[in-house]
Short mmCIF file of all heavy atoms in Angstrom, two decimals:
data_model
loop_
_atom_site.label_atom_id
_atom_site.label_comp_id
_atom_site.label_asym_id
_atom_site.label_seq_id
_atom_site.Cartn_x
_atom_site.Cartn_y
_atom_site.Cartn_z
N ARG A 676 138.83 210.87 154.15
CA ARG A 676 138.01 211.02 155.34
C ARG A 676 136.80 210.10 155.30
O ARG A 676 136.35 209.59 156.33
CB ARG A 676 137.58 212.48 155.49
CG ARG A 676 136.86 212.78 156.80
CD ARG A 676 136.51 214.25 156.90
NE ARG A 676 135.88 214.56 158.16
CZ ARG A 676 135.40 215.76 158.49
NH1 ARG A 676 135.53 216.77 157.63
NH2 ARG A 676 134.83 215.96 159.65
N ASP A 677 136.26 209.89 154.09
CA ASP A 677 135.11 209.00 153.96
C ASP A 677 135.49 207.55 154.27
O ASP A 677 134.66 206.78 154.76
CB ASP A 677 134.53 209.09 152.55
CG ASP A 677 133.91 210.45 152.26
OD1 ASP A 677 133.34 211.03 153.20
OD2 ASP A 677 134.00 210.93 151.12
N LEU A 678 136.73 207.18 153.97
CA LEU A 678 137.17 205.81 154.24
C LEU A 678 137.28 205.53 155.73
O LEU A 678 137.24 204.38 156.16
CB LEU A 678 138.52 205.53 153.57
CG LEU A 678 138.53 205.46 152.04
CD1 LEU A 678 139.95 205.26 151.54
CD2 LEU A 678 137.64 204.33 151.53
N THR A 679 137.44 206.59 156.53
CA THR A 679 137.61 206.42 157.98
C THR A 679 136.29 206.56 158.75
O THR A 679 136.30 206.55 159.98
CB THR A 679 138.61 207.43 158.52
OG1 THR A 679 138.13 208.78 158.26
CG2 THR A 679 139.97 207.27 157.85
N ARG A 680 135.18 206.69 158.06
CA ARG A 680 133.88 206.78 158.75
C ARG A 680 133.62 205.49 159.53
O ARG A 680 133.87 204.39 159.03
CB ARG A 680 132.74 206.98 157.74
CG ARG A 680 132.70 208.33 157.06
CD ARG A 680 131.60 208.31 156.02
NE ARG A 680 131.51 209.52 155.24
CZ ARG A 680 130.60 210.48 155.41
NH1 ARG A 680 129.70 210.34 156.38
NH2 ARG A 680 130.58 211.55 154.64
N ASP A 681 133.09 205.62 160.75
CA ASP A 681 132.70 204.46 161.53
C ASP A 681 131.50 203.79 160.89
O ASP A 681 130.56 204.46 160.43
CB ASP A 681 132.36 204.86 162.97
CG ASP A 681 133.60 205.32 163.73
OD1 ASP A 681 134.68 204.84 163.40
OD2 ASP A 681 133.45 206.13 164.66
N VAL A 682 131.50 202.47 160.87
CA VAL A 682 130.41 201.68 160.28
C VAL A 682 129.99 200.59 161.25
O VAL A 682 130.84 199.86 161.77
CB VAL A 682 130.83 201.05 158.93
CG1 VAL A 682 129.73 200.13 158.42
CG2 VAL A 682 131.14 202.12 157.91
N ILE A 683 128.70 200.51 161.52
CA ILE A 683 128.12 199.37 162.23
C ILE A 683 127.21 198.65 161.24
O ILE A 683 126.20 199.20 160.81
CB ILE A 683 127.33 199.79 163.47
CG1 ILE A 683 128.25 200.47 164.48
CG2 ILE A 683 126.65 198.59 164.11
CD1 ILE A 683 127.52 200.96 165.72
N LYS A 684 127.61 197.45 160.86
CA LYS A 684 126.79 196.63 159.95
C LYS A 684 126.20 195.48 160.76
O LYS A 684 126.93 194.64 161.28
CB LYS A 684 127.63 196.09 158.80
CG LYS A 684 126.85 195.19 157.85
CD LYS A 684 127.76 194.32 157.04
CE LYS A 684 126.99 193.23 156.33
NZ LYS A 684 126.30 192.29 157.25
N SER A 685 124.89 195.44 160.86
CA SER A 685 124.25 194.37 161.62
C SER A 685 124.20 193.10 160.78
O SER A 685 124.47 193.11 159.57
CB SER A 685 122.84 194.79 162.04
OG SER A 685 121.96 194.73 160.93
N ASP A 686 123.84 192.00 161.42
CA ASP A 686 123.80 190.73 160.70
C ASP A 686 122.58 190.61 159.80
O ASP A 686 122.43 189.61 159.09
CB ASP A 686 123.85 189.55 161.67
CG ASP A 686 122.83 189.67 162.78
OD1 ASP A 686 121.99 190.59 162.70
OD2 ASP A 686 122.86 188.86 163.73
N THR A 687 121.69 191.60 159.81
CA THR A 687 120.53 191.60 158.90
C THR A 687 120.71 192.55 157.74
O THR A 687 119.78 192.73 156.95
CB THR A 687 119.26 191.99 159.67
OG1 THR A 687 119.42 193.30 160.24
CG2 THR A 687 118.96 190.98 160.77
N ALA A 688 121.88 193.16 157.61
CA ALA A 688 122.11 194.18 156.59
C ALA A 688 122.81 193.59 155.37
O ALA A 688 123.66 192.72 155.48
CB ALA A 688 122.94 195.33 157.15
N GLY A 689 122.44 194.09 154.20
CA GLY A 689 123.11 193.75 152.95
C GLY A 689 123.96 194.92 152.49
O GLY A 689 123.73 196.07 152.86
N VAL A 690 124.96 194.64 151.67
CA VAL A 690 125.89 195.65 151.18
C VAL A 690 125.86 195.66 149.66
O VAL A 690 125.94 194.60 149.02
CB VAL A 690 127.33 195.39 151.68
CG1 VAL A 690 128.29 196.43 151.12
CG2 VAL A 690 127.37 195.38 153.20
N ILE A 691 125.77 196.86 149.08
CA ILE A 691 125.73 197.01 147.62
C ILE A 691 126.75 198.09 147.22
O ILE A 691 126.81 199.15 147.84
CB ILE A 691 124.32 197.43 147.14
CG1 ILE A 691 123.27 196.41 147.59
CG2 ILE A 691 124.29 197.58 145.62
CD1 ILE A 691 121.85 196.84 147.31
N ILE A 692 127.55 197.78 146.19
CA ILE A 692 128.46 198.76 145.59
C ILE A 692 128.18 198.74 144.10
O ILE A 692 128.69 197.86 143.37
CB ILE A 692 129.94 198.44 145.90
CG1 ILE A 692 130.16 198.38 147.41
CG2 ILE A 692 130.85 199.48 145.27
CD1 ILE A 692 131.58 198.03 147.81
N PRO A 693 127.37 199.65 143.58
CA PRO A 693 126.94 199.58 142.17
C PRO A 693 128.09 199.67 141.18
O PRO A 693 128.03 199.05 140.11
CB PRO A 693 125.99 200.79 142.04
CG PRO A 693 125.60 201.15 143.44
CD PRO A 693 126.75 200.78 144.29
N GLU A 694 129.13 200.43 141.50
CA GLU A 694 130.22 200.65 140.53
C GLU A 694 130.93 199.36 140.13
O GLU A 694 131.47 199.27 139.02
CB GLU A 694 131.23 201.63 141.10
CG GLU A 694 130.77 203.09 141.12
CD GLU A 694 129.81 203.39 142.26
OE1 GLU A 694 129.56 202.48 143.08
OE2 GLU A 694 129.29 204.52 142.33
N ILE A 695 130.98 198.37 141.00
CA ILE A 695 131.64 197.11 140.67
C ILE A 695 130.65 195.94 140.62
O ILE A 695 131.05 194.78 140.59
CB ILE A 695 132.78 196.79 141.66
CG1 ILE A 695 132.23 196.66 143.09
CG2 ILE A 695 133.85 197.86 141.60
CD1 ILE A 695 133.27 196.21 144.09
N GLU A 696 129.34 196.28 140.64
CA GLU A 696 128.27 195.29 140.55
C GLU A 696 128.38 194.24 141.67
O GLU A 696 128.22 193.04 141.46
CB GLU A 696 128.28 194.59 139.18
CG GLU A 696 128.06 195.55 138.03
CD GLU A 696 128.05 194.84 136.68
OE1 GLU A 696 128.34 193.62 136.66
OE2 GLU A 696 127.79 195.49 135.67
N LEU A 697 128.67 194.73 142.88
CA LEU A 697 128.77 193.86 144.04
C LEU A 697 127.51 193.98 144.88
O LEU A 697 127.06 195.09 145.20
CB LEU A 697 129.99 194.24 144.89
CG LEU A 697 130.09 193.53 146.25
CD1 LEU A 697 130.37 192.06 146.06
CD2 LEU A 697 131.16 194.18 147.12
N GLU A 698 126.94 192.84 145.25
CA GLU A 698 125.78 192.83 146.13
C GLU A 698 125.89 191.66 147.08
O GLU A 698 125.96 190.50 146.66
CB GLU A 698 124.49 192.72 145.31
CG GLU A 698 123.23 192.74 146.18
CD GLU A 698 121.96 192.71 145.37
OE1 GLU A 698 122.04 192.87 144.14
OE2 GLU A 698 120.88 192.52 145.96
N LEU A 699 125.94 191.94 148.37
CA LEU A 699 125.99 190.92 149.41
C LEU A 699 124.66 190.90 150.14
O LEU A 699 124.20 191.94 150.61
CB LEU A 699 127.12 191.20 150.39
CG LEU A 699 128.55 191.26 149.83
CD1 LEU A 699 129.54 191.54 150.94
CD2 LEU A 699 128.90 189.97 149.12
N THR A 700 124.05 189.73 150.22
CA THR A 700 122.77 189.62 150.90
C THR A 700 122.96 189.72 152.40
O THR A 700 124.07 189.64 152.92
CB THR A 700 122.09 188.29 150.55
OG1 THR A 700 122.97 187.21 150.91
CG2 THR A 700 121.80 188.21 149.06
N SER A 701 121.86 189.87 153.13
CA SER A 701 121.92 190.02 154.58
C SER A 701 122.51 188.77 155.21
O SER A 701 122.23 187.65 154.79
CB SER A 701 120.53 190.28 155.14
OG SER A 701 119.67 189.20 154.86
N GLY A 702 123.35 188.99 156.23
CA GLY A 702 123.95 187.88 156.95
C GLY A 702 125.23 187.34 156.34
O GLY A 702 125.83 186.42 156.89
N THR A 703 125.68 187.91 155.21
CA THR A 703 126.86 187.38 154.54
C THR A 703 128.11 187.53 155.39
O THR A 703 128.89 186.60 155.55
CB THR A 703 127.07 188.08 153.19
OG1 THR A 703 125.90 187.91 152.39
CG2 THR A 703 128.25 187.49 152.45
N LEU A 704 128.31 188.71 155.96
CA LEU A 704 129.51 188.96 156.76
C LEU A 704 129.22 188.94 158.25
O LEU A 704 130.14 189.12 159.06
CB LEU A 704 130.11 190.33 156.39
CG LEU A 704 130.65 190.49 154.96
CD1 LEU A 704 131.12 191.91 154.74
CD2 LEU A 704 131.77 189.52 154.70
N GLY A 705 127.96 188.75 158.64
CA GLY A 705 127.61 188.82 160.05
C GLY A 705 127.62 190.26 160.52
O GLY A 705 127.65 191.21 159.74
N GLY A 706 127.61 190.47 161.83
CA GLY A 706 127.66 191.81 162.39
C GLY A 706 129.09 192.32 162.47
O GLY A 706 129.99 191.59 162.88
N LEU A 707 129.32 193.57 162.08
CA LEU A 707 130.66 194.14 162.07
C LEU A 707 130.65 195.54 162.67
O LEU A 707 129.68 196.29 162.50
CB LEU A 707 131.21 194.24 160.64
CG LEU A 707 131.52 192.95 159.88
CD1 LEU A 707 131.92 193.28 158.46
CD2 LEU A 707 132.64 192.19 160.57
N VAL A 708 131.71 195.87 163.38
CA VAL A 708 131.98 197.24 163.80
C VAL A 708 133.32 197.59 163.21
O VAL A 708 134.36 197.07 163.63
CB VAL A 708 132.00 197.38 165.33
CG1 VAL A 708 132.28 198.83 165.73
CG2 VAL A 708 130.69 196.92 165.93
N THR A 709 133.35 198.47 162.22
CA THR A 709 134.58 198.73 161.47
C THR A 709 134.49 200.12 160.85
O THR A 709 133.73 200.96 161.32
CB THR A 709 134.76 197.64 160.40
OG1 THR A 709 135.96 197.88 159.67
CG2 THR A 709 133.60 197.57 159.44
N THR A 710 135.29 200.35 159.83
CA THR A 710 135.24 201.58 159.05
C THR A 710 134.86 201.23 157.61
O THR A 710 134.76 200.05 157.26
CB THR A 710 136.61 202.30 159.05
OG1 THR A 710 137.60 201.43 158.46
CG2 THR A 710 137.02 202.65 160.47
N VAL A 711 134.68 202.24 156.78
CA VAL A 711 134.35 201.99 155.37
C VAL A 711 135.48 201.20 154.71
O VAL A 711 135.24 200.21 154.01
CB VAL A 711 134.10 203.31 154.63
CG1 VAL A 711 133.94 203.06 153.13
CG2 VAL A 711 132.86 204.01 155.19
N GLU A 712 136.72 201.60 154.96
CA GLU A 712 137.85 200.88 154.39
C GLU A 712 137.94 199.46 154.95
O GLU A 712 138.20 198.50 154.22
CB GLU A 712 139.15 201.64 154.68
CG GLU A 712 140.38 200.99 154.07
CD GLU A 712 141.65 201.77 154.34
OE1 GLU A 712 141.59 202.74 155.14
OE2 GLU A 712 142.70 201.43 153.76
N GLY A 713 137.71 199.31 156.24
CA GLY A 713 137.74 197.99 156.85
C GLY A 713 136.65 197.08 156.31
O GLY A 713 136.85 195.87 156.16
N LEU A 714 135.49 197.65 155.99
CA LEU A 714 134.40 196.86 155.43
C LEU A 714 134.78 196.29 154.06
O LEU A 714 134.52 195.13 153.76
CB LEU A 714 133.14 197.72 155.31
CG LEU A 714 131.90 197.06 154.71
CD1 LEU A 714 131.46 195.87 155.56
CD2 LEU A 714 130.76 198.06 154.57
N ILE A 715 135.44 197.10 153.24
CA ILE A 715 135.89 196.63 151.93
C ILE A 715 136.92 195.51 152.08
O ILE A 715 136.90 194.51 151.37
CB ILE A 715 136.47 197.79 151.10
CG1 ILE A 715 135.40 198.88 150.88
CG2 ILE A 715 136.99 197.29 149.77
CD1 ILE A 715 134.16 198.38 150.19
N SER A 716 137.83 195.67 153.04
CA SER A 716 138.83 194.63 153.28
C SER A 716 138.17 193.33 153.74
O SER A 716 138.55 192.24 153.30
CB SER A 716 139.84 195.10 154.32
OG SER A 716 140.54 196.26 153.88
N LYS A 717 137.16 193.43 154.63
CA LYS A 717 136.45 192.25 155.10
C LYS A 717 135.72 191.55 153.96
O LYS A 717 135.66 190.32 153.89
CB LYS A 717 135.44 192.64 156.19
CG LYS A 717 136.06 193.00 157.52
CD LYS A 717 136.55 191.76 158.24
CE LYS A 717 137.03 192.10 159.64
NZ LYS A 717 137.54 190.90 160.34
N ILE A 718 135.16 192.33 153.04
CA ILE A 718 134.45 191.75 151.90
C ILE A 718 135.43 190.95 151.04
O ILE A 718 135.14 189.81 150.63
CB ILE A 718 133.77 192.85 151.06
CG1 ILE A 718 132.59 193.45 151.84
CG2 ILE A 718 133.29 192.30 149.72
CD1 ILE A 718 131.97 194.65 151.16
N GLY A 719 136.60 191.52 150.77
CA GLY A 719 137.59 190.81 149.98
C GLY A 719 138.06 189.54 150.64
O GLY A 719 138.16 188.49 149.99
N GLU A 720 138.34 189.60 151.94
CA GLU A 720 138.80 188.40 152.66
C GLU A 720 137.73 187.32 152.69
O GLU A 720 138.03 186.13 152.51
CB GLU A 720 139.19 188.79 154.09
CG GLU A 720 140.40 189.70 154.18
CD GLU A 720 140.61 190.23 155.59
OE1 GLU A 720 139.83 189.82 156.48
OE2 GLU A 720 141.53 191.04 155.79
N SER A 721 136.48 187.72 152.90
CA SER A 721 135.39 186.74 152.98
C SER A 721 135.15 186.06 151.63
O SER A 721 134.98 184.85 151.55
CB SER A 721 134.11 187.42 153.45
OG SER A 721 133.03 186.52 153.46
N LEU A 722 135.17 186.84 150.55
CA LEU A 722 134.93 186.27 149.23
C LEU A 722 136.04 185.31 148.83
O LEU A 722 135.79 184.25 148.25
CB LEU A 722 134.79 187.38 148.19
CG LEU A 722 133.51 188.22 148.26
CD1 LEU A 722 133.55 189.34 147.24
CD2 LEU A 722 132.28 187.35 148.03
N GLU A 723 137.27 185.67 149.15
CA GLU A 723 138.39 184.78 148.80
C GLU A 723 138.36 183.51 149.62
O GLU A 723 138.73 182.43 149.14
CB GLU A 723 139.72 185.51 149.01
CG GLU A 723 139.95 186.61 147.98
CD GLU A 723 141.32 187.24 148.14
OE1 GLU A 723 142.10 186.76 148.98
OE2 GLU A 723 141.61 188.20 147.42
N ARG A 724 137.91 183.59 150.88
CA ARG A 724 137.86 182.39 151.71
C ARG A 724 136.73 181.47 151.27
O ARG A 724 136.92 180.26 151.14
CB ARG A 724 137.63 182.78 153.18
CG ARG A 724 137.61 181.60 154.13
CD ARG A 724 137.32 182.04 155.54
NE ARG A 724 136.00 182.61 155.68
CZ ARG A 724 134.88 181.87 155.83
NH1 ARG A 724 134.95 180.56 155.84
NH2 ARG A 724 133.71 182.46 155.96
N VAL A 725 135.56 182.04 151.00
CA VAL A 725 134.40 181.22 150.65
C VAL A 725 134.52 180.65 149.24
O VAL A 725 134.18 179.51 148.98
CB VAL A 725 133.10 182.05 150.78
CG1 VAL A 725 131.91 181.25 150.28
CG2 VAL A 725 132.89 182.45 152.23
N HIS A 726 135.06 181.45 148.31
CA HIS A 726 135.15 181.00 146.92
C HIS A 726 136.60 180.70 146.55
O HIS A 726 137.08 181.09 145.50
CB HIS A 726 134.59 182.08 145.99
CG HIS A 726 133.18 182.48 146.33
ND1 HIS A 726 132.11 181.65 146.09
CD2 HIS A 726 132.68 183.58 146.91
CE1 HIS A 726 131.00 182.25 146.50
NE2 HIS A 726 131.32 183.42 147.01
N GLY A 727 137.30 180.02 147.45
CA GLY A 727 138.72 179.75 147.23
C GLY A 727 139.01 178.90 146.03
O GLY A 727 140.08 178.99 145.43
#
Side-chain angles (χ1 to χ4, degrees):
R676 187 178 182 184
D677 293 325
L678 291 177
T679 60
R680 290 175 184 257
D681 292 331
V682 174
I683 297 178
K684 178 200 167 298
S685 75
D686 50 8
T687 59
V690 178
I691 303 172
I692 303 178
E694 286 77 5
I695 61 174
E696 299 181 354
L697 171 69
E698 181 177 350
L699 300 180
T700 57
S701 61
T703 302
L704 296 176
L707 292 175
V708 180
T709 180
T710 61
V711 172
E712 183 179 8
L714 179 61
I715 300 302
S716 299
K717 288 286 186 181
I718 290 173
E720 294 171 3
S721 176
L722 289 176
E723 290 184 5
R724 182 183 65 82
V725 174
H726 305 288

